[in-house]
Amino acid sequence: MESQFESPPELPPDAPREPILTLPGALTAYVALLAVVHLRVLLPPELENWTIDVFGFIPKRYDSTLLDITFPGGAGAKVWTFVTYSLLHANLTHIGFNVLWLLPFGSALARRFGAVRFFLFMAVTAAAGALAHLLTHEHAIAPMIGASASVSGAMAAAIRFAFVRGSFLSFSRGDADAAAKVPALSLARALRNGRVLGFLAVWFGVNIIFGIGSIAIGADGASVAWQAHIGGFLAGLMLFSLFDPVPRAAAHAAHASRDGSGRV
């Protein structure tokens, strides 16, 4: 006698879940660009110094009272250095520190914005950081370099949705793409959210300590341009909605409020 055994029904395969910190293409390209630009350190010293003078942000370049000093780059450098300074770094410690902070916040932001919005956002926050540095260092002749203003802007933008239920800093979250595209908090609601306020307090506290204490980063003893950090951060926080393609939903924002109240 033959027995027939019914095979168990096949279960549908689980949907792939992408790790939260898998780098999206836009961020990978941005980090690769920083790395390629940093190869300038292999140039002879005079050429390396020239690249910093031409592409670094020098407040004295905009000083109309100084007529006897000509900076490399001419009039064009007064425009492009508002962004190009952010692609230059002093050493591997400097670039590594910025990339380390950019990994979680930049990953979420790049997924949410897409490549074009992400690169434009990084440029705008870099320019905001340069403007803040210019206003506070009007006659400074030392070039400012580094992506910290843009990194700070990315962090500020990310906290507009980072603590919403299901996002990458919440206690309940999905895959990376889903976590990056939860509806964001409005600026007013974000500034009433306990977790956001806590993050702001720590972030500003650290930057004030760096500023008041004149703490230096790296072997070369370069000081931290903390005013540029604040300029980029405020720009990212306030201009986020201009770049955000994800519709806002009051219900999700309410979840975040309930959850949150309880160098760069």
Side-chain angles (χ1 to χ4, degrees):
M1 179 182 295
E2 294 182 355
S3 298
Q4 293 183 350
F5 296 94
E6 294 184 0
S7 60
E10 293 185 2
L11 298 176
D14 292 335
R17 294 173 65 85
E18 192 171 1
I20 291 293
L21 287 182
T22 299
L23 296 187
L27 181 59
T28 301
Y30 182 79
V31 173
L33 177 61
L34 296 182
V36 170
V37 170
H38 194 62
L39 292 177
R40 65 171 175 74
V41 299
L42 301 178
L43 295 172
E46 60 275 11
L47 285 179
E48 183 188 358
N49 291 335
W50 180 85
T51 61
I52 294 177
D53 289 340
V54 173
F55 299 105
F57 188 79
I58 305 174
K60 199 73 171 177
R61 200 192 303 272
Y62 306 89
D63 188 351
S64 60
T65 65
L66 189 67
L67 303 177
D68 57 343
I69 293 182
T70 301
F71 291 98
K78 292 185 176 182
V79 178
W80 66 59
T81 56
F82 269 89
V83 175
T84 56
Y85 81 93
S86 66
L87 303 177
L88 302 169
H89 289 82
N91 47 47
L92 290 177
T93 299
H94 190 197
I95 193 172
F97 195 76
N98 280 330
V99 169
L100 180 64
W101 280 108
L102 191 60
L103 290 181
F105 298 96
S107 292
L109 205 63
R111 293 181 192 282
R112 187 180 187 93
F113 283 175
V116 174
R117 284 189 178 92
F118 176 73
F119 288 126
L120 183 58
F121 177 86
M122 298 298 279
V124 168
T125 50
L131 179 60
H133 186 70
L134 177 61
L135 293 176
T136 54
H137 296 76
E138 183 180 0
H139 303 294
I141 198 169
M144 178 181 70
I145 59 176
S148 296
S150 294
V151 173
S152 298
M155 294 171 70
I159 65 171
R160 291 282 298 272
F161 62 91
F163 299 110
V164 174
R165 187 184 299 276
S167 190
F168 70 104
L169 289 183
S170 71
F171 292 114
S172 173
R173 66 192 183 199
D175 60 44
D177 284 327
K181 294 179 180 177
V182 297
L185 300 169
S186 67
L187 181 58
R189 189 180 291 274
L191 295 178
R192 296 195 301 269
N193 182 278
R195 292 180 186 172
V196 172
L197 291 176
F199 185 95
L200 292 175
V202 172
W203 191 91
F204 277 98
V206 169
N207 276 272
I208 290 172
I209 290 173
F210 272 97
I212 295 177
S214 297
I215 298 174
I217 292 293
D220 56 359
S223 60
V224 174
W226 60 276
Q227 295 93 336
H229 298 184
I230 292 177
F233 190 92
L234 292 177
L237 186 66
M238 295 186 292
L239 300 180
F240 166 79
S241 296
L242 298 180
F243 294 86
D244 189 21
V246 179
R248 194 168 300 147
H252 287 77
H255 280 309
S257 292
R258 286 195 295 269
D259 290 344
S261 58
R263 146 94 156 130
V264 290

